Amino acid sequence: MKLRNVLIVVKDIEKSKKFYHDLFGLDTILDNDGNVILTEGLVLQDEQIWKSFLEKEVIPENNACELYFEESDIEAFVEKLEKLYPDIKYVNQLMTYSWGQKVVRFYDLDGNLIEVRTLVQKNSENNKDENK
């Protein structure tokens, strides 16, 4: 068995397609009128379709899961985020963990949690072992 996609619920498919393309370079693979598959396995589902299927309300900013991305030039990413989406709601602004990895967390246009981190850096001892 394979996990094929991750689905998130959005209010406006077109705005969300633009958002994920602008920030993460995700392109549309398939657009089935309210259900859009993007590259990297992200699926956007129209909120009204989802609500009618589940017969439950969608709860934005529920913090039950997140989309996780890695970016080597996180400062440039944050600059682009602030330029293109100045009203974005942050969970935490760009910060650096004690081990040196940088991270920013924010909500997309529909309250889905996103985390972007720099690549995990190997410690110097691991690097020495690799060079042998």
Side-chain angles (χ1 to χ4, degrees), residues 11 36-37 51 54 79 86 89 96 111 119 126:
K11 289 179 173 51
V36 174
I37 300 174
K51 284 167 63 174
L54 287 185
E79 189 177 306
K89 184 175 180 183
T96 305
L119 307 174
N126 286 345

Side-chain angles (χ1 to χ4, degrees), residues 3-18:
L3 174 63
R4 292 304 225 181
N5 300 100
V6 173
L7 181 146
I8 60 172
V9 178
V10 300
K11 289 179 173 51
D12 185 318
I13 291 278
E14 293 306 314
K15 283 184 181 178
S16 293
K17 283 177 12 183
K18 182 174 177 3

Side-chain angles (χ1 to χ4, degrees), residues 3-43:
L3 174 63
R4 292 304 225 181
N5 300 100
V6 173
L7 181 146
I8 60 172
V9 178
V10 300
K11 289 179 173 51
D12 185 318
I13 291 278
E14 293 306 314
K15 283 184 181 178
S16 293
K17 283 177 12 183
K18 182 174 177 3
F19 177 86
Y20 283 96
H21 178 77
D22 288 350
L23 292 176
F24 303 102
L26 303 182
D27 294 316
T28 301
I29 295 173
L30 182 66
D31 191 337
N32 277 342
D33 195 31
N35 185 289
V36 174
I37 300 174
L38 302 177
T39 51
E40 302 298 324
L42 183 60
V43 177

